[in-house]
Amino acid sequence: MIQHHPDMSTLISYAAGALSSNFTQLVKCHVENCSDCQAKIQEGEQLGGQLLNMHPSSSEATQTSSFDDFWKTNINERVFSEANIVAPTSYEDMIESLKDGQKWKSLVPGIGQIKLMDGAQGTLRLFKIAPGMAIPLHTHNGNEMTLILKGSYSDELGRFKAGDVADVDDDTDHQPIADTGEHCICLIATEAPLKFKGLLPRLMQPFIGL
Ligand SMILES: [Zn+2]
């Protein structure tokens, strides 16, 4: 049962095609498996339609039609057809398809990563955290979104299990700890390099490439 979801503002941005590609990939993985978020996006779509119908005026006619096109292209065709055509995948399948033959690279003992995207907009990475291991305490220069694919972790924000999304901004300090007997595998999209607290993590940062 999924308990943590992307913020509504994140879902709206996703539906409007306004998220950068690394965040889009992560949100898509969650939404395909989350009927709550699919419903929220659909409600947003209906609300958008109602708002358009509330103020019909000749001067806005051209604007409305271009917005209508935008909405149709971005929400109905791009998001929904994509999300609905793809049959629900298991998270195991998703991890394999994301890995695409790549091997886990050890950052520090107990934490492995696979970099899927790395560009000016940020990164998209798979993380594998051994039971009991923690990602060092950090804050962010920008947004960070985590989708749990396997296992679970706990941090200051709660407990996150497969399917849950942690959608955090630069006000959040957190230290996720894998909290069961199995590895926690998650997909993490970041906007900018993380800022670690404490001397050791800061010294390690250039080496582990976070
Ligand atoms: Zn959701």
Side-chain angles (χ1 to χ4, degrees):
M1 198 60 209
I2 296 175
Q3 288 184 335
H4 301 274
H5 306 269
D7 288 347
M8 197 60 207
S9 62
T10 301
L11 288 177
I12 291 168
S13 304
Y14 167 74
L19 290 179
S20 56
S21 49
N22 51 339
F23 284 90
T24 301
Q25 287 297 323
L26 189 150
V27 174
K28 184 167 175 265
C29 289
H30 172 84
V31 169
E32 278 173 7
N33 291 277
C34 180
S35 50
D36 283 3
C37 285
Q38 285 167 20
K40 277 188 216 161
I41 291 174
Q42 213 152 11
E43 277 168 30
E45 186 192 23
Q46 281 160 4
L47 185 65
Q50 284 165 12
L51 288 173
L52 286 173
N53 291 332
M54 256 194 281
H55 302 285
S57 82
S58 55
S59 64
E60 284 170 15
T62 43
Q63 263 189 321
T64 302
S65 99
S66 68
F67 183 71
D68 223 7
D69 286 347
F70 170 83
W71 194 267
K72 186 169 169 279
T73 312
N74 285 285
I75 307 236
N76 287 343
E77 288 169 22
R78 206 180 60 80
V79 179
F80 275 112
S81 47
E82 263 182 47
N84 291 339
I85 285 168
V86 176
T89 350
S90 77
Y91 281 112
E92 304 284 339
D93 289 343
M94 206 177 274
I95 293 166
E96 285 312 310
S97 68
L98 287 168
K99 276 169 72 178
D100 195 22
Q102 295 189 63
K103 293 231 157 46
W104 293 103
K105 188 181 160 207
S106 178
L107 292 176
V108 291
I111 300 182
Q113 80 159 354
I114 293 173
K115 240 179 219 180
L116 302 168
M117 296 168 78
D118 191 6
Q121 292 178 322
T123 63
L124 183 67
R125 284 169 296 180
L126 280 171
F127 256 64
K128 183 161 85 170
I129 311 163
M133 280 293 296
I135 293 181
L137 185 66
H138 60 276
T139 56
H140 313 95
N141 285 318
N143 290 323
E144 176 192 273
M145 215 182 292
T146 305
L147 169 67
I148 316 304
L149 298 173
K150 200 167 187 283
S152 63
Y153 77 63
S154 294
D155 67 7
E156 290 78 353
L157 305 172
R159 179 147 196 252
F160 294 80
K161 294 183 282 191
D164 284 334
V165 162
D167 192 354
V168 301
D169 60 20
D170 46 10
D171 296 329
T172 313
D173 276 19
H174 70 147
Q175 184 166 31
I177 299 175
D179 65 356
T180 60
E182 68 172 328
H183 280 81
C184 176
I185 298 180
C186 42
L187 186 62
I188 303 185
T190 52
E191 216 167 35
L194 309 181
K195 287 182 284 192
F196 286 95
K197 293 188 162 185
L199 184 61
L200 185 62
R202 263 188 285 145
L203 288 173
M204 276 164 36
Q205 192 164 358
F207 300 102
I208 63 181
L210 284 168

